[in-house]
Amino acid sequence: MPEPTKKDETPNGQPEVWSLGDGQAPEDLDKPIDTPPRSTLLIESPQSASMAVGGDISFVAKVEAKDLLRKPTVKWFKGKWMDLASKTGKHLQLKETFDRQTKIHTFEMHIIKAKENYAGNYRCEVTYKDKFDSCSFDLEVKEAETGSQNIDIRSAFKRSSEGQEDAGELDFSGLLKHREPKQQDDAPDVDVWEILKNARPDQYEKIAFMYGITDLRGLLRRMKKIPKEEKKSEAFAKKLEPAYQVDKGGKIRLVVDLADPTVELKWYKNGQEIRPSPKYIFEHKGTQRIMVINNCSMNDDAAYSVAAGDEKCATELFVKELPVKIVKGIEPVKTTVNERIELECEVSEEGAQVKWMKNGVEVPTGVRSRYRVKSEGTKHFLVIDDASREDTGTYSLMASGGTSEAHVKVDLKPLKIYQDLQDMTVKLGQPLKLHCEIYPGNVPGRWYRNGQLIQPNDRITIIHRNKVHRLEIEASSLHDAGDYTFVPEGYSQSLSAKIHIIDPPRVHLDSLNFPDNMVTIVAGNKLRLEIPISGEPAPRVVWMKGERVILESGHRVRAETYGDQTSLTIDITEREDSGNYKIVLQNEAGEATASVKIKVVDIPDPPEAPLVPVVGGDWCSMTWEPPKYDGGSPILGYFIERKKKQSSRWMRLNFDLIKETSFEPKKMIEGVPYEVRIFAVNAIGVSKPSEPSKAFTPLAVTSEPTMLVVDDVTDTTVTVKWRPPETIGAAGLDGYIVEYCIEGANDWVVSNTELTEKTKYTITGLTPGSKILVRVRAINAAGASPPRTLQHSVLVKEVIEPPKIRVPRHLKQTYTRRVGEAVNLVVPFMGKPRPKVTWLKEGNPIEPTHVSIRNTDCDSIIFIRKAERSHSGKYEMTVQVENHVDTAIIDIQIVDLPGPPQCVTIEDVWGGNVALVWTPPKDNGNSPITGYTIQKADKKTMEWFTCIEHYHRTCITITELVVGNEYFFRMYSENMCGLSEAATQTKKSALIVKEGISPHDTAQHQYHAQPHSFTLPPTGMQMKTHEFNDRDFKEAPKFTQPLINTFAIAGYNATLNCSVRANPRPKVIWMKNKIAILDDPRYRMFSNQGVCTLEIRKPSPYDGGMYTCKAINDLGEAQVDCKLEVKGGFTFYELMQRGVPLHLIDKYMNEHKIVEQEK
C-alpha cells in the first residue's frame, strides 16, 4: 500500500508532534470519561500491547451486523478527546472490511514505525442509532538500542590509488561504498614546497591532492608566510595576494593599491570582465581599489585578475564547501507489490550532491529506470512507483558528511476480488464483455469456456490493464453461451460466470409497402392488416391504441397472432379508429415495438356558427372558421345558405364552392332579421350544416341631427345642443360624435372619444379668441350619419352672466339641527365666469377650524362635522362676478335638551286633587318649550308614575289621588329635542286625608285635603260633591299653516310643509295634479305633531305641478294646494330613459323654451 508523505521530524532535526499527538496527561488517566449508556455491540475488542520504537502494531475491533440495518459508526481516540480519524497519515492507518458470509464488520488501526510519544491510553467507540459500546486499551513503546557507524570524512580527500586513471581526482566512492583502502606502496620523498613555489595558484589544489595533502587551508596559510621576491610594479603599489579562501555563502574582499590613481582599472574572472552588480561591488578608498564578492558559491571558485593599464596581477579564490551531514535519516518501509515507495532523507545543505545505493550498489536513475530521484530543498527522495518483490533490500543515501540506510521489504499482496464476474444474458449478435477486477493488479490470468482455454483471435479480445481483466467478443453467437472461468496466475482462486445468448423479437413493417407506415381507409369499410414478426422463442404480441389494449376477443376491433405474423381487424371503420397503433413484442430476449398509423377519412365536421361583423342597408359581411375536423381530407370549399329568422326555408347563395372563409350576401330587406349557415366540402362529401349565425338585421345610418345651436361659450369651451335626427331607422341611435375645426382650416378634430347619448356637449381645451366650426354626427349600428354643421363660426370668448344664488326651499326658513349632529348644506348658484364666493357669520369671517366651506363652479357647501350651540346664527353668502354681486342669508339654529323647570310648588290640595304651579326652565335648549311631563310618587314606596305628558301650561290639577296617601311630584320640561335630563321635585308633600279627620291630626304636613263645604248631619249623611262636565276636544281638520308655492332645482331634494289641527288624528293624503301619490320611491311623507311634510328626491322637470295635502277624519276634511316648479331639468334623451311619455316630454320642452325666452 502507498505510504503517506507526512514528516515525522522538523528541519532542525527535532522530533515533531505527529498525527497521534502527545496523548493523555498522567494526571488525567484516573479521571472517568463521560460516555452514553453502553450496549453490547463489540464481539471482539482491541487489547493492550507493547512494542519497540520503530516497530509496527495493529489493533482490531469486530462488530456483528446481523441485527443492524446499516454500518455502525466507529471512532478511535487517544486519551480523552483526540479523534484519530483526522490524524491518519504515514504513521497511522485506519481500515474497515465487511465479511458478507459471517456478517461481521472488522475495524483495524495500524501504527507504523512507532515513536516513544505514541505510548498512552487509546479508546474505540462504536455507535449505532441509540446503541453505544466502547473499549479502552494501552500501548507501551520501549526504546530500542541502535548503534551508529563513525565515518572519517577526511578519507574523501585521500588518493584512491596511484596507478589508476583517476589518480589526482576526488574519489567519493570509497566513502559511499564503505570500501577498505588498499595498501599503498611507499613513494620516494618529494619536496612539495618547491613544487608549489614554482607552480601557478590555479594548480595548488591539484598538487595538494596528488601528494595526499588534505589541509588545503593550512597549506594556503603557510604559503602566505613564505617570503617571496617580488618585482617592483609601476602600476601597483600593492598587488593581490596569491590566493584567497572563503567559506561557501560568505563574503570576500579583493584589495589592490594603485601607484597611479588615475589609471583605468578592470577586473576579470577566468578572463571575462566583471561588471558591477549586487554580487560584485567595487569600492574606491584613496589609492585602494576593492572588489567585494557577496554570497560566495562554488561558481565563484575561479581565477581572478585585475588590469591597470598594461600591467596585471592575478590570484586564485578557493570556496570551501562544508561537509554535508544527515539531518533526518531514512525510515524502514514494509509494503506490498504494486504499491508506491517513497524514501525520504534530509541533509544539512540545500543542493548537496548525494548518492542513492541499494545493497551497496548505486541505484540507476536513467530515463527508463524504475527509480526516480528528486529533491526539495534539503530533502532528497527516492521513489519507486510500482514496487515489486525484487525491490526488497537495504537502501542508503551517501553524503560527504555521513550515510543513512533503511531496509525495504516488499511482500506479495493477498488476492482480493474487487469485482467478480457476473452472469449475463446477451442478445444474439450483440457484443459480449466479461469484466472482473482483482488485486494485485499486475497478476496475469487465463480465460476458460466450459473448461477449454480461450485464445484471442479476430473476434475475441483479451485485455489486462492494471487490476482490470476483460474478455470481449464483438458479435456473440449461440456457440458463445456457456460457463466462463478466469484463473489468476499463481493463485488457486478462480472467478466464474454463466452466459446466455438470446434472440430478440422483431416486427417487419417493410412488407406492408405503405408510405410512412400509414394505412388510409374510408369510414364504414372493413380493415384487415397483417404484419410479419420474428423472434425466438415466439414472442408475446400486444396491440395497443394509446393506453387501451386491443384484445383477441374484441367484437368490432380485434387482434390475432398465429405463426410468424399478427393481424389487426376492424369490421366497420369509424372516425374514432384513426390514430397510432402500437405493436409490442416480448420474449426472454427482450422487447420490440412498432407503430402503424391508420387514417380513417370521412366527411368533415360542420363549421362553427358564422360571425356577421358588418351589416349594411341591404347587405352584410360574414366570416367563419374552418371545421375543427376536416374528415382526414383537405377542405375543398364551402356552401352558404340564408333565411329570414321567422321562416324555415333556407336558400343557397352560391353554386360554385367558395374557397375563402368570408362572404358578402346582398339583396336583403332592411329591418328584416336574417340568419346564415355554412356547409364544408371535402373529397368525401358535404358536411352537415353549421349552427345558424346570430340573427342580424340589415340597417342604414340615420339622417343628420337637427337644430344644432350654440348653448354657451367661455374662454376655453363651447357648449352646443341639438335635436335628434328626423329619421332614425331600424338601427336605432347609439349616440353622437362632436367635431370641430378652426375657421379657414379643413382638419376636423373629434372632441369626444366616447359616444355621448345627450343632445348637449361642451368642447373643452379651446384657444381663447379663436373661431371654430362645429358639426355633429349621429352614430348607430350601421355607422355615422351625414354631419350637421353650424351655419356660422363661433368666437371662443366668455360672456359675463350676473351671479344668482338659488337658495333651496328648506334653507329659506330657519335650518334646525341638534347638538352633535352634522350640518351639510349645499347652496347652488349661477354666474359666469366662475363667481367668487364668501361667507360671513353675523358680519364676521367664519373660522375655518369650526366650519368647513368648499366651493365648486355651481354650488357652495358648508359643513360642520359636530354641531354646537355656538354655531347658531345667521350666515351670509356673497357671490360676486366682477361688479355684480348677489347675497343670501342662511339662518342656522342648533338646539339641545332643555333644563328642568325652575320651581314646582303645591298650590292647593282638596279631596283627591292637588293643584301644582311652576315656572319655565331657565335654559330652553335654544328651542321653544313644547310641553312638560308630570310624575307622582307615593311617599311610602317612592316609585314614580307619569300623570301626564306633553302638557303645555305652567299649572295643572292632578286628580284621582288615593285618599290616605301622601304624594310627592316632579316635573320634566320638553322641547323639540326631547325631555330634560333632570327633573324638578316638590319640596313638600301633599296628604290626601279621609273624611272626618281633623286637620289638626295632620298638622305635620304642609298641605292636606279639606272639602270646600260640608256639614256633619247627626244621622251620618253623604257629602255632596260638585259635578263637572268634560270638555269636548273633538275638532274637524283645519290647516293652521298652508302650503307655499315653491321653486326647486333639478337634482336637489325638495320638501313641501304644512300643519293641520284635528281631533281625532286625521288621515293625511298627498296628491300630485289631483292624483294620489302611492308607493312611489321618489317621494317620502312624514307627519309629526300635526306637521305634514312631503320630500321629493332629486326632482326633475317632470316632477313639477300642483301638489295637494288633504286631511280627513270623522268630523270632516280639509286640503291645501301649492305649485311646484323645477328649474334646470333633464335632456330629451334622459326623459326618454326615465320612461316619460312623449306628449309630456313635448309639453315640457315647449314650456322650457317659453321660460327661457321670457328670461
Side-chain angles (χ1 to χ4, degrees):
M1 174 170 287
E3 291 187 2
T5 58
K6 286 193 176 182
K7 299 174 288 185
D8 62 347
E9 290 186 2
T10 58
N12 58 9
Q14 298 297 325
E16 70 169 359
V17 180
W18 68 288
S19 58
L20 291 183
D22 294 332
Q24 190 174 2
E27 59 271 14
D28 295 337
L29 293 175
D30 298 332
K31 295 183 180 180
I33 299 175
D34 297 333
T35 57
R38 295 182 56 185
S39 61
T40 304
L41 290 175
L42 292 169
I43 60 174
E44 181 178 335
S45 302
Q47 304 297 324
S48 299
S50 60
M51 61 182 297
V53 173
D56 300 342
I57 193 169
S58 298
F59 296 94
V60 180
K62 294 184 178 181
V63 179
E64 189 172 8
K66 290 183 178 179
D67 299 332
L68 307 182
L69 300 179
R70 58 180 177 83
K71 185 181 73 174
T73 302
V74 174
K75 293 184 178 180
W76 298 84
F77 295 90
K78 182 180 181 184
K80 294 175 60 177
W81 56 270
M82 181 181 291
D83 189 353
L84 300 181
S86 61
K87 303 297 182 179
T88 56
K90 181 177 180 180
H91 296 276
L92 176 67
Q93 296 179 2
L94 303 179
K95 295 184 180 180
E96 299 180 5
T97 57
F98 177 68
D99 192 340
R100 298 183 180 275
Q101 295 182 353
T102 59
K103 304 293 183 182
I104 292 177
H105 291 279
T106 302
F107 301 91
E108 302 179 18
M109 180 179 70
H110 301 286
I111 297 177
I112 304 169
K113 297 182 180 180
K115 297 185 179 182
E116 294 181 359
N117 60 342
Y118 296 178
N121 179 260
Y122 291 78
R123 186 172 77 257
C124 175
E125 292 186 358
V126 184
T127 307
Y128 177 78
K129 291 185 178 179
D130 55 346
K131 298 181 179 180
F132 173 81
D133 200 357
S134 67
C135 177
S136 298
F137 55 95
D138 296 324
L139 174 62
E140 182 181 1
V141 180
K142 299 179 180 180
E143 184 177 359
E145 296 182 359
T146 57
S148 61
Q149 182 180 0
N150 294 324
I151 302 174
D152 186 4
I153 191 66
R154 291 178 300 174
S155 61
F157 297 96
K158 293 182 178 181
R159 296 170 58 191
S160 57
S161 62
E162 296 239 349
Q164 295 181 358
E165 296 179 356
D166 58 349
E169 300 292 337
L170 293 178
D171 185 8
F172 287 88
S173 60
L175 172 63
L176 298 177
K177 299 179 182 179
H178 300 280
R179 292 183 298 181
E180 294 294 334
K182 298 181 179 179
Q183 297 293 331
Q184 299 182 3
D185 297 334
D186 294 335
D189 294 337
V190 178
D191 190 354
V192 179
W193 292 114
E194 292 297 329
I195 298 175
L196 291 175
K197 287 179 182 180
N198 299 325
R200 298 191 307 273
D202 56 350
Q203 297 177 349
Y204 289 169
E205 185 176 358
K206 183 176 180 180
I207 295 173
F209 285 113
M210 285 178 61
Y211 293 98
I213 300 172
T214 59
D215 191 3
L216 184 61
R217 182 179 298 178
L219 175 66
L220 295 175
R221 284 198 302 267
R222 186 172 179 181
M223 286 187 65
K224 289 181 181 180
K225 298 178 180 179
I226 298 177
K228 295 183 179 180
E229 296 180 0
E230 295 184 359
K231 297 179 181 180
K232 187 172 181 67
S233 173
E234 296 179 358
F236 295 99
K238 181 181 180 182
K239 295 185 179 181
L240 294 174
E241 297 292 335
Y244 294 87
Q245 180 174 336
V246 65
D247 292 338
K248 185 178 180 180
K251 181 172 70 173
I252 187 69
R253 292 165 57 92
L254 304 181
V255 183
V256 295
D257 197 350
L258 298 178
D260 184 4
T262 60
V263 177
E264 184 181 358
L265 196 72
K266 291 184 180 181
W267 294 86
Y268 296 91
K269 174 184 176 182
N270 292 333
Q272 299 291 329
E273 184 178 356
I274 302 174
R275 301 293 182 181
S277 66
K279 184 174 182 65
Y280 301 99
I281 300 174
F282 300 103
E283 297 178 357
H284 292 187
K285 290 184 179 180
T287 58
Q288 288 186 348
R289 299 295 183 263
I290 305 169
M291 182 178 70
V292 180
I293 304 176
N294 293 317
N295 192 18
C296 294
S297 62
M298 297 305 298
N299 293 330
D300 297 322
D301 192 313
Y304 291 84
S305 62
V306 58
D310 296 332
E311 291 191 26
K312 286 186 179 181
C313 64
T315 187
E316 185 80 11
L317 176 63
F318 296 94
V319 180
K320 181 180 179 181
E321 186 174 3
L322 300 177
V324 179
K325 298 181 180 180
I326 303 296
V327 177
K328 176 185 174 183
I330 308 173
E331 295 185 355
V333 176
K334 182 179 182 181
T335 184
T336 57
V337 296
N338 302 123
E339 296 296 337
R340 184 175 184 271
I341 299 176
E342 182 175 294
L343 301 179
E344 177 185 352
C345 182
E346 185 175 356
V347 297
S348 60
E349 185 177 345
E350 184 176 348
Q353 297 293 330
V354 297
K355 284 188 178 181
W356 286 94
M357 313 290 290
K358 176 186 175 184
N359 297 328
V361 179
E362 184 174 356
V363 175
T365 58
V367 177
R368 298 184 179 182
S369 174
R370 297 177 61 253
Y371 302 95
R372 289 190 299 111
V373 176
K374 63 178 182 178
S375 62
E376 295 178 0
T378 59
K379 296 180 181 179
H380 295 263
F381 301 90
L382 176 65
V383 181
I384 306 173
D385 290 325
D386 189 7
S388 62
R389 298 190 68 181
E390 291 76 12
D391 294 324
T392 301
T394 301
Y395 290 80
S396 61
L397 181 138
M398 299 183 67
S400 60
T403 303
S404 175
E405 66 177 21
H407 184 70
V408 175
K409 183 178 182 181
V410 181
D411 296 329
L412 185 65
K413 291 185 178 180
L415 182 65
K416 295 183 180 179
I417 300 175
Y418 289 161
Q419 182 176 345
D420 201 349
L421 293 177
Q422 303 293 329
D423 295 342
M424 297 177 62
T425 301
V426 183
K427 294 181 181 179
L428 182 65
Q430 296 296 321
L432 171 62
K433 296 181 180 181
L434 292 175
H435 176 93
C436 65
E437 292 185 16
I438 61 175
Y439 182 84
N442 57 353
V443 176
R446 295 186 178 184
W447 292 88
Y448 297 88
R449 179 177 63 237
N450 297 328
Q452 296 182 354
L453 180 64
I454 300 175
Q455 298 292 341
N457 52 34
D458 295 340
R459 197 172 63 91
I460 300 175
T461 303
I462 297 176
I463 301 173
H464 174 204
R465 293 178 181 174
N466 202 1
K467 297 180 290 185
V468 179
H469 296 264
R470 285 190 295 177
L471 173 66
E472 296 183 357
I473 301 176
E474 291 184 0
S476 59
S477 62
L478 296 176
H479 301 287
D480 293 325
D483 295 333
Y484 285 76
T485 304
F486 175 75
V487 180
E489 185 176 339
Y491 293 90
S492 60
Q493 294 176 267
S494 63
L495 294 81
S496 60
K498 290 186 177 181
I499 305 300
H500 300 275
I501 306 299
I502 57 177
D503 187 12
R506 295 182 182 85
V507 181
H508 304 281
L509 294 178
D510 299 339
S511 61
L512 294 178
N513 293 326
F514 289 121
D516 299 330
N517 296 330
M518 178 183 290
V519 181
T520 304
I521 187 170
V522 178
N525 295 335
K526 181 177 180 180
L527 173 66
R528 181 177 179 85
L529 185 63
E530 296 182 350
I531 299 175
I533 59 175
S534 63
E536 186 64 31
R540 174 175 171 266
V541 182
V542 177
W543 284 80
M544 300 179 67
K545 182 184 180 185
E547 300 296 332
R548 181 173 61 89
V549 178
I550 301 174
L551 305 176
E552 295 183 0
S553 59
H555 177 62
R556 187 178 66 86
V557 181
R558 59 188 177 274
E560 299 174 345
T561 302
Y562 45 89
D564 57 351
Q565 69 178 8
T566 180
S567 65
L568 173 68
T569 304
I570 304 177
D571 290 337
I572 300 174
T573 56
E574 298 176 355
R575 180 182 301 179
E576 290 75 13
D577 295 329
S578 297
N580 289 326
Y581 288 78
K582 184 178 180 181
I583 311 170
V584 181
L585 279 66
Q586 293 179 341
N587 66 359
E588 296 178 1
E591 179 179 315
T593 59
S595 295
V596 178
K597 186 176 182 180
I598 297 178
K599 182 180 180 181
V600 180
V601 295
D602 198 357
I603 61 173
D605 286 344
E608 298 289 337
L611 303 176
V612 184
V614 182
V615 179
D618 62 345
W619 60 275
C620 71
S621 175
M622 57 183 293
T623 60
W624 62 91
E625 295 291 334
K628 295 182 178 178
Y629 177 67
D630 60 359
S633 179
I635 299 296
L636 302 179
Y638 302 91
F639 288 121
I640 295 94
E641 291 186 351
R642 179 188 72 195
K643 79 174 184 69
K644 298 178 181 178
K645 184 176 182 182
Q646 297 81 2
S647 175
S648 60
R649 179 175 172 271
W650 290 90
M651 181 178 67
R652 180 163 291 184
L653 301 182
N654 66 309
F655 294 96
D656 295 331
L657 291 176
I658 297 176
K659 300 184 181 300
E660 296 80 10
T661 57
S662 61
F663 187 69
E664 290 188 0
K666 298 181 179 179
K667 297 181 181 181
M668 291 184 285
I669 302 172
E670 183 179 0
V672 177
Y674 286 88
E675 293 178 347
V676 291
R677 67 181 184 181
I678 310 295
F679 293 85
V681 182
N682 68 355
I684 309 302
V686 181
S687 70
K688 295 181 180 180
S690 68
E691 291 293 327
S693 66
K694 292 184 179 180
F696 62 93
T697 304
L699 300 172
V701 297
T702 67
S703 61
E704 66 272 10
T706 60
M707 299 178 64
L708 176 62
V709 294
V710 178
D711 185 61
D712 188 19
V713 179
T714 68
D715 288 340
T716 58
T717 64
V718 173
T719 302
V720 294
K721 60 181 180 180
W722 61 91
R723 295 297 299 273
E726 294 180 354
T727 303
I728 294 179
L733 179 62
D734 295 336
Y736 302 92
I737 288 180
V738 181
E739 299 174 315
Y740 70 92
C741 75
I742 306 299
E743 185 180 19
N746 198 25
D747 296 332
W748 291 92
V749 180
V750 178
S751 180
N752 55 325
T753 57
E754 297 182 358
L755 294 179
T756 175
E757 297 178 352
K758 300 178 181 180
T759 56
K760 184 177 181 181
Y761 184 79
T762 300
I763 304 173
T764 61
L766 299 175
T767 305
S770 62
K771 291 184 178 182
I772 64 171
L773 293 174
V774 182
R775 69 182 184 183
V776 181
R777 294 175 183 267
I779 307 298
N780 66 357
S785 70
R788 170 67 70 179
T789 308
L790 286 174
Q791 295 181 356
H792 304 284
S793 61
V794 181
L795 177 62
V796 182
K797 184 177 181 181
E798 188 169 18
V799 179
I800 297 176
E801 179 181 342
K804 179 65 176 178
I805 301 175
R806 296 185 177 275
V807 181
R809 172 68 179 176
H810 66 286
L811 295 181
K812 291 182 179 181
Q813 302 173 359
T814 301
Y815 182 78
T816 306
R817 278 290 182 270
R818 296 184 181 182
V819 172
E821 294 182 344
V823 177
N824 190 9
L825 303 180
V826 181
V827 182
F829 56 82
M830 300 172 61
K832 292 183 179 180
R834 179 176 177 175
K836 179 180 179 182
V837 182
T838 58
W839 286 86
L840 298 175
K841 178 186 177 185
E842 306 295 344
N844 299 320
I846 297 175
E847 183 66 30
T849 58
H850 297 162
V851 179
S852 299
I853 296 176
R854 184 175 63 86
N855 299 321
T856 64
D857 294 341
C858 59
D859 57 24
S860 180
I861 301 174
I862 181 170
F863 176 73
I864 303 175
R865 185 175 301 276
K866 191 172 183 183
E868 299 177 0
R869 290 175 64 177
S870 61
H871 294 143
S872 301
K874 294 185 181 296
Y875 291 77
E876 181 180 357
M877 176 184 176
T878 303
V879 180
Q880 182 178 0
V881 176
E882 294 185 357
N883 297 329
H884 304 277
V885 179
D886 190 14
T887 61
I889 296 178
I890 309 297
D891 188 7
I892 299 177
Q893 182 182 7
I894 308 301
V895 299
D896 198 359
L897 295 175
Q902 295 189 41
C903 180
V904 180
T905 59
I906 300 175
E907 186 73 16
D908 194 8
V909 178
W910 73 94
N913 309 309
V914 173
L916 301 176
V917 179
W918 64 90
T919 57
K922 186 177 181 180
D923 181 13
N924 63 356
N926 204 20
S927 175
I929 300 298
T930 58
Y932 300 91
T933 297
I934 299 96
Q935 294 181 347
K936 64 179 179 180
D938 189 357
K939 185 178 180 180
K940 297 178 182 179
T941 60
M942 288 307 291
E943 293 183 5
W944 295 95
F945 297 93
T946 301
C947 301
I948 190 168
E949 295 178 322
H950 313 302
Y951 190 73
H952 296 278
R953 300 174 182 174
T954 58
C955 61
I956 191 174
T957 300
I958 306 300
T959 61
E960 299 180 0
L961 297 176
V962 179
V963 177
N965 290 352
E966 188 176 354
Y967 292 92
F968 285 95
F969 299 91
R970 69 180 182 184
M971 192 169 301
Y972 292 90
S973 58
E974 180 180 3
N975 66 0
M976 62 181 299
C977 294
L979 296 176
S980 61
E981 295 181 353
T984 303
Q985 182 179 330
T986 57
K987 295 182 179 180
K988 299 180 181 180
S989 62
L991 175 64
I992 310 301
V993 298
K994 296 181 181 179
E995 297 180 0
I997 297 179
S998 172
H1000 300 286
D1001 297 335
T1002 60
Q1004 67 273 21
H1005 297 280
Q1006 181 67 29
Y1007 301 98
H1008 53 272
Q1010 296 182 355
H1012 290 279
S1013 62
F1014 60 89
T1015 57
L1016 298 175
T1019 56
M1021 296 179 63
Q1022 296 285 339
M1023 179 182 67
K1024 189 180 289 185
T1025 60
H1026 297 281
E1027 294 182 0
F1028 300 94
N1029 295 325
D1030 293 335
R1031 176 180 172 81
D1032 187 4
F1033 289 99
K1034 291 184 179 180
E1035 182 181 2
K1038 180 181 178 181
F1039 283 90
T1040 58
Q1041 176 67 37
L1043 292 172
I1044 301 174
N1045 293 337
T1046 306
F1047 290 91
I1049 304 298
Y1052 294 90
N1053 292 353
T1055 57
L1056 302 178
N1057 299 287
C1058 62
S1059 62
V1060 64
R1061 185 176 68 206
N1063 192 8
R1065 184 176 181 179
K1067 178 181 180 183
V1068 179
I1069 301 175
W1070 287 90
M1071 294 180 289
K1072 175 188 176 186
N1073 298 330
K1074 298 183 180 180
I1075 299 176
I1077 301 173
L1078 300 173
D1079 299 331
D1080 193 332
R1082 294 186 297 116
Y1083 299 94
R1084 287 200 305 174
M1085 291 166 279
F1086 306 95
S1087 180
N1088 184 18
Q1089 298 293 324
V1091 179
C1092 303
T1093 304
L1094 175 67
E1095 181 181 355
I1096 306 171
R1097 296 182 175 179
K1098 297 183 179 180
S1100 65
Y1102 174 71
D1103 294 319
M1106 187 65 68
Y1107 284 82
T1108 303
C1109 181
K1110 189 174 184 180
I1112 304 173
N1113 69 359
D1114 296 338
L1115 300 180
E1117 63 181 37
Q1119 68 179 30
V1120 290
D1121 302 324
C1122 74
K1123 184 179 180 181
L1124 175 65
E1125 183 178 352
V1126 181
K1127 301 295 182 178
F1130 296 93
T1131 63
F1132 176 84
Y1133 180 75
E1134 291 173 340
L1135 293 175
M1136 289 186 66
Q1137 280 190 330
R1138 287 174 169 263
V1140 180
L1142 288 176
H1143 68 281
L1144 295 179
I1145 296 177
D1146 291 338
K1147 182 180 179 182
Y1148 161 71
M1149 298 297 289
N1150 294 332
E1151 292 177 355
H1152 185 64
K1153 186 182 299 182
I1154 293 171
V1155 171
E1156 288 183 351
Q1157 292 176 357
E1158 290 177 354
K1159 291 182 179 178

